[in-house]
Amino acid sequence: MTDSLIAEITTLLGPAGVITDAADMAPYLAEERGLYHGRARLVARPADTAQVAAVVAWCAERKIGIVPQGGNTGLCGGAAPDESGEQILLSLSRLNRIRAIDPVNFTMAVEAGVVLQTIQTAAEDAGCLFPLSLAAEGSCQIGGNIATNAGGTGVLRYGNARDLVLGLEAVLPDGQVWDGMRLLRKDNTGYDLKHLFIGSEGTLGIITAAVLKLYPRPLDIQTAFCALTELDAVLALLSRARAATGDQVTALELVPAIGLDLARRHMPGITDPFDQPYPWYVLIELSTSRADAGLRDSLETLLGEAVEAGEVMDAVIAGSIEQRRALWRIRESIPEAQKREGASIKHDVSVPTASVPAFIAAAGTAVAAAYPGVRIVPFGHVGDGNIHFNLQVPVDADGPAFLGEWERLNRVVHDIVASMNGSISAEHGIGQLKRGELARYKAPLELELMRRIKSAFDPAGLMNPGKIL
Ligand SMILES: Cc1cc2nc3c(=O)[nH]c(=O)nc-3n(C[C@H](O)[C@H](O)[C@H](O)COP(=O)(O)OP(=O)(O)OC[C@H]3O[C@@H](n4cnc5c(N)ncnc54)[C@H](O)[C@@H]3O)c2cc1C
């Protein structure tokens, strides 16, 4: 890009809206797992929707590709530009205003660059709950959450990001602004266009604002960490808990013995809640907006019955907010603990919830045969059928050589996922990382329909080129 083009863009956005210095651009180009090393001619930081539209129209005229970026916490290379150095990275960080909160309508209108945790806090201050919750919530942005249809820990009760959006505003690839900021829970007026943008990973347009669904704020939250010997018991425990509590189970997270081991070894302050090891653990959380619902009693009763039935071997119930945080920290430390332990190959997959134990058994056997000594770390949102089926390099084996097996081991795991009618990307999306796998596992007709949608919105292919398709 010539100096004159940079000058034009600076005229559109002002000096605060353009970064061209290599050192200042570096954090935008560094991606979470270090798998992609893209380059960009500049980072555009528009301050509002009108400026986003102006940059996009300017790029459309000149056929310049745009890579939208939120908090840059995505795990599939979706927010990383390619290596050509020709693309513009467009950061939404300055679109960080909460436009309105309506505790009667239970809605909040926000700009795309608001950090998820800021939204959670604002909802809480208004006596409400915004239930999307994930370990990256301190830095990911709502626009990125919507663009990836983020999942996280509350899906079992509240659904994915897709289920939490009532309206959207988006800048289309030609620079037009689509105002779909509806506050409606019922609107059957033809194709629901917002759902095309949700989960589109920036390939159809740039989300600039959204109307989010709020819920009553929970007044009682009860959390327990349970020890199991059989993985099948997870399903019995989930059914038991849903029935016994009037469906107040908010989260059900799986932790394998190796996950707890790694967390204890690498993460300061993590301790084993039990005095002996067990093969599996489950974190279960119940919540209600009634202060007098007797949730603690319900939890104690149902865990007592689960112990009697042989589903649960032992359990601890958090007695304070600090204890609750400590239990969640075990689960949330696993990815970082895996990083500190060495190389690992990731799978973010889902199967129907009832098939989770069979999937983990089948994939575990297949992977152990394909790479003897591999350490299998299956953890995650088991209550909604989503398993992070991660593979840790064998002890004393060569990390880079192990990572060289990424595609081969993906194939072993994904073939089993496909045979169980599962998904090769449960919540992280496709980005660049899983483009090949998508082409392999998605039905040709579905891929063809996706391509037609892409070309209807973005015929010149300028919106996040090379992602998903
Ligand atoms: C520690 C950790 C834990 C995580 N846990 C979870 C989890 O439990 N569940 C889960 O689903 N994900 C999880 N993630 C992945 C990640 O946080 C989510 O995918 C998140 O939704 C990405 O948001 P972001 O703002 O960081 O988006 P980015 O990483 O900046 O972008 C992601 C994709 O969305 C596009 N995009 C971003 N903003 C916009 C916009 N405004 N308009 C159009 N396109 C846009 C980008 O081009 C890119 O394709 C985790 C990540 C980390 C690092």
Side-chain angles (χ1 to χ4, degrees):
M1 192 172 289
T2 62
D3 287 350
S4 70
L5 289 176
I6 291 174
E8 279 179 39
I9 249 196
T10 308
T11 308
L12 292 177
L13 302 182
V18 182
I19 302 175
T20 51
D21 178 74
D24 294 339
M25 287 205 289
Y28 296 88
L29 300 175
E31 158 273 327
E32 179 66 32
R33 287 177 178 164
L35 296 175
Y36 301 97
H37 304 282
R39 297 193 303 133
R41 286 316 295 251
L42 59 81
V43 173
R45 298 180 70 241
D48 55 29
T49 302
Q51 286 198 353
V52 175
V55 182
V56 172
W58 185 89
C59 287
E61 266 173 39
R62 289 159 187 79
K63 303 265 179 278
I64 294 172
I66 301 176
V67 180
Q69 188 178 92
N72 197 18
T73 68
L75 298 172
C76 296
D82 67 14
E83 286 167 18
S84 69
E86 298 297 329
Q87 300 174 333
I88 284 184
L89 192 143
L90 192 151
S91 164
L92 277 301
S93 318
R94 290 174 76 207
L95 275 77
N96 58 4
R97 285 159 289 252
I98 293 179
R99 291 186 184 167
I101 301 181
D102 183 342
V104 176
N105 203 39
F106 279 96
T107 49
M108 186 187 313
V110 294
E111 292 185 346
V114 184
V115 169
L116 175 56
Q117 201 167 58
T118 306
I119 293 174
Q120 295 166 340
T121 306
E124 208 174 311
D125 291 346
C128 296
L129 169 77
F130 182 62
L132 188 65
S133 176
L134 41 137
E137 63 200 20
S139 41
C140 63
Q141 299 173 5
I142 193 65
N145 300 146
I146 295 170
T148 56
N149 185 26
T153 54
V155 173
L156 179 60
R157 177 88 165 265
Y158 299 102
N160 298 291
R162 181 181 300 287
D163 303 295
L164 301 171
V165 174
L166 289 179
L168 271 192
E169 177 188 270
V171 172
L172 306 180
D174 61 2
Q176 291 188 80
V177 178
W178 172 57
D179 179 358
M181 291 289 279
R182 309 214 167 95
L183 299 158
L184 306 174
R185 283 180 167 75
K186 286 188 157 186
D187 175 18
N188 272 353
T189 52
Y191 304 138
D192 197 338
L193 298 177
K194 67 176 178 288
H195 284 300
L196 287 175
F197 292 97
I198 301 171
S200 67
E201 299 181 51
T203 60
L204 299 182
I206 299 182
I207 296 163
T208 48
V211 177
L212 307 174
K213 247 191 229 179
L214 302 179
Y215 287 82
R217 187 154 65 97
L219 294 179
D220 190 1
I221 301 177
Q222 297 293 335
T223 310
F225 203 73
C226 309
L228 318 178
T229 47
E230 299 296 333
L231 188 53
D232 279 341
V234 169
L235 301 178
L237 180 62
L238 176 59
S239 302
R240 180 186 291 285
R242 291 187 75 166
T245 61
D247 218 4
Q248 285 164 333
V249 184
T250 313
L252 191 84
E253 297 283 317
L254 180 69
V255 174
I258 185 174
L260 177 57
D261 270 3
L262 293 176
R264 283 176 61 207
R265 201 169 329 141
H266 295 291
M267 307 298 288
I270 296 224
T271 52
D272 188 339
F274 304 107
D275 50 17
Q276 68 171 89
Y278 293 93
W280 299 100
Y281 305 93
V282 166
L283 184 153
I284 183 166
E285 188 156 282
L286 314 176
S287 67
T288 170
S289 55
R290 275 182 61 181
D292 61 349
L295 210 53
R296 169 86 189 204
D297 290 346
S298 304
L299 182 58
E300 283 175 6
T301 307
L302 86 87
L303 288 178
E305 287 168 2
V307 169
E308 243 170 62
E311 293 157 9
V312 168
M313 297 298 114
D314 200 354
V316 293
I317 299 180
S320 64
I321 291 177
E322 289 68 37
Q323 285 176 9
R324 176 179 171 236
R325 282 203 193 110
L327 296 181
W328 270 107
R329 245 193 107 229
I330 297 175
R331 153 64 184 91
E332 287 180 344
S333 295
I334 297 176
E336 182 57 30
Q338 275 205 279
K339 206 188 261 181
R340 294 183 190 184
E341 175 73 4
S344 65
I345 295 176
K346 323 277 185 187
H347 302 90
D348 162 40
V349 300
S350 65
V351 291
T353 307
S355 306
V356 166
F359 162 72
I360 291 179
T365 306
V367 162
Y371 202 103
V374 66
R375 291 175 290 165
I376 301 165
V377 190
F379 67 95
H381 319 301
V382 64
D384 58 42
N386 177 191
I387 299 299
H388 299 309
F389 192 83
N390 289 356
L391 308 177
Q392 192 84 44
V393 62
V395 180
D396 298 332
D398 177 45
F402 177 67
L403 291 180
E405 300 286 333
W406 192 298
E407 283 181 21
R408 184 172 73 88
L409 292 172
N410 274 183
R411 182 57 35 81
V412 172
V413 174
H414 290 164
D415 278 353
I416 294 171
V417 169
S419 75
M420 293 184 162
N421 297 316
S423 169
I424 58 150
S425 181
E427 61 175 7
H428 296 161
I430 299 297
Q432 305 179 59
L433 183 69
K434 292 189 178 170
R435 224 170 24 168
E437 294 298 90
L438 185 79
R440 182 181 170 89
Y441 292 103
K442 200 81 157 170
L445 180 59
E446 274 184 82
L447 280 174
E448 175 54 24
L449 290 171
M450 285 168 70
R451 280 194 202 98
R452 283 194 222 163
I453 291 168
K454 169 74 176 168
S455 64
F457 276 77
D458 183 22
L462 299 176
M463 207 41 84
N464 215 359
K467 311 295 161 51
I468 303 186
L469 292 167

